Amino acid sequence: MYTSKITGTGHFVPEKIYTNNDLKQFFDTSDEWIVERTGIKERRISDAEKNEFPSTMAAHASKMALKKANLEANDIDFILFSSTMSDYNFPNSATLLQDLLGITNHCGCLDVNSACTGWIYAMTMANSLIENGTYKNILVVGSETTSSYNNWLDRSKCVLFGDGAGAVILSRSDNETSKIHKSILSSDSTKKDDLIKKTGMARKPFFVDKENPEMVEMNGQAVFKAAVKTMAHQCASILEETNTAKEEVDLFIPHQANLRIIEAVARRFEFPNEKVMINVQKYANTSSATIPIALNEALEAGRLKRADKLLLTTFGSGLTSATLLLTY
Ligand code: COA
């Protein structure tokens, strides 16, 4: 059996920024309200005129990852693309990304949608495909244009989200130190109605009422509580099942949805501030892109080095949750 290691990372965020104050043009809100409840100060918004879509943003991030991994595009032998919003119904965004990267080896391309947890789901699949010898270099991206389904009249939800893309190349490793130790994936369908977007898909293909479009539906307080509980539970389980002391964790990268959620989980493990990666203030919740973006920023800031232990955890619609422990 082989092991896998991260050989390259990259990220891309659109240039256009909506600060909390900018949102006042759409509805009654304030910087204080948003910062106090979420820690979010601004978010990036994709621009169709600049050709910013899930696949194109992912291409920018992936090119950076390929460069850092010192790999050619055709070295990629599988693409896993996590997104809550594909470029098209079909072909999938992974295939569009193959084209944008100039990959001509006809590698397999698969989209994954597990909402905000999709990228860790995809990393888990990629790790298994490397461990069993099927592939050598898998490109795993999370790329999201949440702004394309945000209802900009719904102040209780749209303030929470932003756009961006993160990419990681997971490669077969001959280094025993770097590896993925374990991941835990879960989904609690009894809470599926707590965070749901029904329109635009098979059951409701068109918006019935254009004046009052039904978009993301969310029970914010229930999601908040479930997020803290599930992420803390999964982190405790993964540490216990891998015989890892919480002090051994060098960097904790939780899903960037809400600063209060991040702090509540980090407090349970007494992780000091310098061990917790936070960028939610800059980008808001970019769904399945939050963790790969934060991972690349942590590396660029020198907060993570080879042989460090990295704990990643996330939650989202489903309600799903996913946690992964690796040695970088
Ligand atoms: N600006 C100003 N006021 C706002 C507002 C905004 N952007 N959005 C909502 N409000 C108002 C509401 O209308 C409501 O007013 P009312 O009481 O007069 O009806 C009030 O603020 C609600 O406030 P409160 O109940 O204190 O909100 P909260 O503390 O539960 O915070 C969330 C709301 C959404 C920030 C919080 O529940 C949360 O972050 N939940 C998790 C959501 C999440 O992370 N989802 C993604 C998961 S991947």
Side-chain angles (χ1 to χ4, degrees), residues 37 117 186 191 194-195 219-237 252 254-269 271 311 313-316 319-323:
R37 282 171 180 76
T117 58
S186 72
K191 298 194 174 79
D194 284 343
L195 184 48
N219 180 348
Q221 292 186 1
V223 172
F224 190 109
K225 283 182 200 151
V228 175
K229 197 171 153 193
T230 343
M231 289 199 293
H233 178 71
Q234 286 200 346
C235 287
S237 299
F252 177 53
H255 180 38
Q256 306 288 310
N258 182 314
L259 183 62
R260 289 190 300 150
I261 294 176
I262 294 171
E263 287 175 345
V265 179
R267 251 195 321 270
R268 297 208 180 179
F269 298 89
F271 291 137
L311 178 62
T313 189
T314 179
F315 69 96
L319 293 179
T320 51
S321 199
T323 299

Side-chain angles (χ1 to χ4, degrees), residues 4-299:
S4 50
K5 78 171 186 182
I6 293 173
T7 49
T9 59
H11 83 273
F12 173 85
V13 289
E15 259 178 47
K16 196 196 310 182
I17 296 176
Y18 276 1
T19 64
N20 292 343
N21 283 328
D22 291 336
L23 297 179
K24 287 182 187 168
Q25 65 184 296
F26 303 120
F27 42 74
D28 179 23
T29 191
S30 68
D31 183 53
E32 295 70 34
W33 192 96
I34 301 171
V35 171
E36 190 183 304
R37 282 171 180 76
T38 70
I40 296 165
K41 294 184 177 146
E42 57 189 43
R43 69 283 298 139
R44 300 301 178 106
I45 304 296
S46 55
D47 185 344
E49 287 186 4
K50 289 188 177 159
N51 196 28
E52 289 169 346
F53 300 105
S55 65
T56 53
M57 295 197 308
H60 290 300
S62 302
K63 283 176 188 165
M64 193 187 282
L66 280 166
K67 200 169 171 195
K68 287 193 194 161
N70 206 14
L71 291 174
E72 299 295 326
N74 273 318
D75 292 327
I76 297 298
D77 45 20
F78 197 60
I79 300 176
L80 280 163
F81 195 116
S82 168
S83 192
T84 50
M85 178 59 81
S86 305
D87 286 54
Y88 306 121
N89 273 140
F90 48 83
N92 62 24
S93 296
T95 300
L96 302 183
L97 180 58
Q98 184 200 60
D99 183 44
L100 290 166
L101 293 176
I103 297 176
T104 53
N105 61 14
H106 298 179
C107 69
C109 290
L110 179 66
D111 278 16
V112 174
N113 181 354
S114 179
C116 299
T117 58
W119 184 79
I120 290 190
Y121 270 71
M123 281 289 281
T124 303
M125 292 162 69
N127 183 44
S128 298
L129 289 164
I130 286 173
E131 278 186 350
N132 70 19
T134 307
Y135 297 120
K136 279 189 181 163
N137 297 301
I138 304 183
L139 176 58
V140 189
V141 306
S143 184
E144 303 275 4
T145 54
T146 66
S147 64
S148 60
Y149 55 80
N150 247 341
N151 179 351
W152 291 103
L153 299 175
D154 179 357
R155 66 178 184 168
S156 66
K157 285 150 221 145
C158 70
V159 300
L160 304 175
F161 298 100
D163 299 343
V168 159
I169 295 168
L170 200 63
S171 302
R172 187 184 288 180
S173 166
D174 47 13
N175 165 2
E176 287 298 302
T177 313
S178 298
K179 65 174 181 177
I180 290 182
H181 298 279
K182 189 175 177 62
S183 63
I184 299 177
L185 311 176
S186 72
S187 191
D188 179 359
S189 55
T190 64
K191 298 194 174 79
K192 65 184 185 310
D193 294 328
D194 284 343
L195 184 48
I196 188 164
K197 178 184 166 282
K198 296 175 184 162
T199 46
M201 303 300 274
R203 290 201 195 199
K204 283 195 179 183
F206 306 107
F207 303 130
V208 181
D209 176 0
K210 289 210 164 148
E211 292 300 307
N212 189 21
E214 173 209 320
M215 302 293 264
V216 176
E217 297 168 53
M218 184 176 72
N219 180 348
Q221 292 186 1
V223 172
F224 190 109
K225 283 182 200 151
V228 175
K229 197 171 153 193
T230 343
M231 289 199 293
H233 178 71
Q234 286 200 346
C235 287
S237 299
I238 214 163
L239 293 176
E240 190 186 332
E241 288 169 29
T242 57
N243 281 322
T244 307
K246 60 184 193 225
E247 294 76 18
E248 289 177 58
V249 173
D250 296 293
L251 190 67
F252 177 53
I253 307 185
H255 180 38
Q256 306 288 310
N258 182 314
L259 183 62
R260 289 190 300 150
I261 294 176
I262 294 171
E263 287 175 345
V265 179
R267 251 195 321 270
R268 297 208 180 179
F269 298 89
E270 297 167 330
F271 291 137
N273 290 346
E274 63 274 16
K275 287 193 174 185
V276 183
M277 182 64 197
I278 298 174
N279 62 11
V280 68
Q281 70 283 2
K282 293 192 290 183
Y283 305 134
N285 181 349
T286 56
S287 192
S288 71
T290 68
I291 293 184
I293 292 174
L295 172 59
N296 189 49
E297 286 203 331
L299 281 161

